[in-house]
Amino acid sequence: MAKCAFGVSKVEHLGHFISVEGVSTNPNKILDVQSWPIPSNIIQLREIIGLAGYYRRFIKGFAAIYRTLHDQLKKKGFSWTEEYTAAFNQLKQALISATILAMPYYAKSFIVETDASGKDIGAVLMQQGHHIAYIKQKALKHLLEQQVHTDFQVDGISKLMAFDFSIEYKKEVENKIQNTWYTDLTLQLVITKLQQQPYKSYTWCNNQLRWKGRLVVGDDMQLRTTIIEQWHATPQGGHSSMDATIKRLQSLFFWKNLSQDTRIYISKCDICQRHKYDVVASHGLLQPLPIPEGVWTYICLNFIEGLPKSNGNEAILVVVDMLSKYGRSMALSHPYNAQSVAQ
């Protein structure tokens, strides 16, 4: 009976506190976290990583923070840098501000929201809008479709088969694009019209605004630049040519001046400017002009345009002798042609 508690609003169990609000970290251990000094050897670092790993499901983005510190364990000796200090402080702050996770109710549906990068996929297990756990996992989109599975995937599939579930992929870029529809007054008007009747080449289906089947991007230059960057400057884009990049973008997205924005971005791409060869034919080497035999045998002419009008004249003809370099200037007025200038 010494370990029993009755009529209390919160109980401690295996380093966690369970209450009507959900599951939270142990406040006493979090107080210890606040006083953590920067580790000075591998043993201290292992203790810190061990405690953090125990509470990993409370921390969003735990894998990215954990990886930096864990890399230190793979090195020979102990070498601490500013990068590790930043990751250490970030881990402390994440533990101190860990959220309260709801208790799962297995009679209701679960939702797993994921966000992937080129290396990892992070996920949040949710139910009725409440967070249950933060997890890190491999890609799930084609898990049930692929023919060859790893031992890890087979183990995961065997556990999932007991549930009625579906896997849906929601691109992060689409989430941001949807936000632009409600900040762009023109697109708001288009959406309102589409909800009443068909409007031009626009369609509104599954809460997506499309133009001739392409996803419409609102007036957000930062987002447009990000989209162009993903389709040009990433390994998948491969710094393709202007026409190839524009063609790919136009097959998926629509916004006014898409081609112009893409050309401006690529023309300023540092990698393309440094490493791509010039397709313009070489102009060849400069050749010296022959020395004239007498003055005013050969002359050079040039026009200076765009000057303020003075006494009816708005241009200057400059004539330079090739031998003596003596120059003469004459005022001209529009219109003029080759014959009048020669006279």
Side-chain angles (χ1 to χ4, degrees):
M1 296 295 290
K3 295 183 178 180
C4 297
F6 301 94
V8 295
S9 59
K10 181 186 296 185
V11 294
E12 182 182 0
H13 179 66
L14 298 177
H16 299 81
F17 272 87
I18 304 173
S19 65
V20 66
E21 296 177 349
V23 184
S24 62
T25 55
N26 188 330
N28 296 327
K29 293 188 179 295
I30 298 305
L31 288 175
D32 295 336
V33 170
Q34 291 178 324
S35 59
W36 270 353
I38 293 178
S40 57
N41 53 59
I42 291 292
I43 296 176
Q44 293 180 359
L45 181 60
R46 288 185 185 276
E47 292 175 354
I48 293 170
I49 290 178
L51 177 59
Y54 187 70
Y55 287 130
R56 64 185 304 160
R57 74 188 188 106
F58 292 86
I59 303 173
K60 185 177 182 180
F62 174 83
I65 309 172
Y66 172 83
R67 185 186 300 110
T68 303
L69 295 175
H70 188 264
D71 289 344
Q72 175 63 246
L73 300 179
K74 301 178 183 179
K75 298 181 178 180
K76 294 182 179 179
F78 184 81
S79 176
W80 195 262
T81 64
E82 291 295 328
E83 180 185 5
Y84 297 124
T85 301
F88 174 73
N89 292 331
Q90 187 179 1
L91 181 61
K92 285 178 59 176
Q93 184 58 38
L95 286 169
I96 294 170
S97 58
T99 57
I100 298 177
L101 301 178
M103 294 292 292
Y105 183 43
Y106 293 98
K108 296 184 178 180
S109 301
F110 290 88
I111 297 175
V112 179
E113 290 193 357
T114 64
D115 188 12
S117 66
K119 298 180 180 179
D120 303 309
I121 176 170
V124 182
L125 180 63
M126 303 180 64
Q127 190 176 60
Q128 294 183 315
H130 300 291
H131 295 179
I132 295 176
Y134 296 104
I135 55 179
K136 175 181 175 291
Q137 190 54 274
K138 298 182 180 180
L140 298 173
K141 177 66 176 71
H142 304 287
L143 180 63
L144 302 179
E145 302 171 6
Q146 64 191 52
Q147 296 180 353
V148 180
H149 296 87
T150 64
D151 293 339
F152 176 82
Q153 291 173 334
V154 171
D155 181 58
I157 292 174
S158 63
K159 295 178 180 179
L160 289 172
M161 285 301 136
F163 302 97
D164 180 15
F165 68 96
S166 63
I167 299 175
E168 299 177 359
Y169 177 50
K170 190 174 183 181
K171 293 182 179 179
E172 179 185 6
V173 68
E174 290 185 0
N175 295 338
K176 294 182 178 179
I177 289 174
Q178 289 175 353
N179 293 335
T180 65
W181 299 337
Y182 302 104
T183 56
D184 190 321
L185 296 179
T186 303
L187 295 183
Q188 285 187 34
L189 182 61
V190 171
I191 293 172
T192 302
K193 291 182 178 179
L194 285 174
Q195 291 173 342
Q196 299 173 357
Q197 60 183 6
Y199 180 68
K200 295 184 178 180
S201 299
Y202 290 97
T203 56
W204 178 256
C205 182
N206 296 327
N207 293 324
Q208 291 185 347
L209 179 62
R210 295 182 175 270
W211 185 83
K212 294 185 177 180
R214 292 179 279 169
L215 202 59
V216 178
V217 180
D219 188 13
D220 186 336
M221 198 59 211
Q222 183 178 358
L223 176 59
R224 292 176 179 180
T225 302
T226 301
I227 294 173
I228 296 172
E229 181 181 2
Q230 290 182 354
W231 264 257
H232 174 75
T234 58
Q236 292 78 13
H239 291 274
S240 303
S241 64
M242 289 186 179
D243 293 339
T245 304
I246 291 172
K247 187 175 181 180
R248 283 204 299 267
L249 286 169
Q250 287 181 336
S251 66
L252 299 170
F253 304 101
F254 169 78
W255 71 79
K256 188 177 180 181
N257 299 327
L258 182 150
S259 298
Q260 181 181 349
D261 293 342
T262 306
R263 293 184 185 278
I264 292 174
Y265 176 87
I266 296 178
S267 66
K268 297 179 180 179
C269 178
D270 183 67
I271 293 178
C272 292
Q273 300 302 317
R274 286 175 180 268
H275 300 284
K276 289 193 175 180
Y277 61 87
D278 192 356
V279 296
V280 179
S282 175
H283 298 291
L285 300 176
L286 295 176
Q287 301 295 328
L289 297 174
I291 300 175
E293 296 179 356
V295 294
W296 298 109
T297 305
Y298 293 97
I299 59 175
C300 292
L301 304 176
N302 202 356
F303 296 90
I304 303 176
E305 295 278 359
L307 300 174
K309 185 174 289 188
S310 176
N311 297 326
N313 300 312
E314 51 192 346
I316 298 176
L317 170 63
V318 181
V319 183
V320 178
D321 174 45
M322 291 295 293
L323 179 61
S324 64
K325 309 303 179 185
Y326 179 78
R328 293 286 303 273
S329 300
M330 290 168 279
L332 295 176
S333 61
H334 288 285
Y336 56 82
N337 52 36
Q339 183 178 0
S340 63
V341 170
Q343 292 176 350

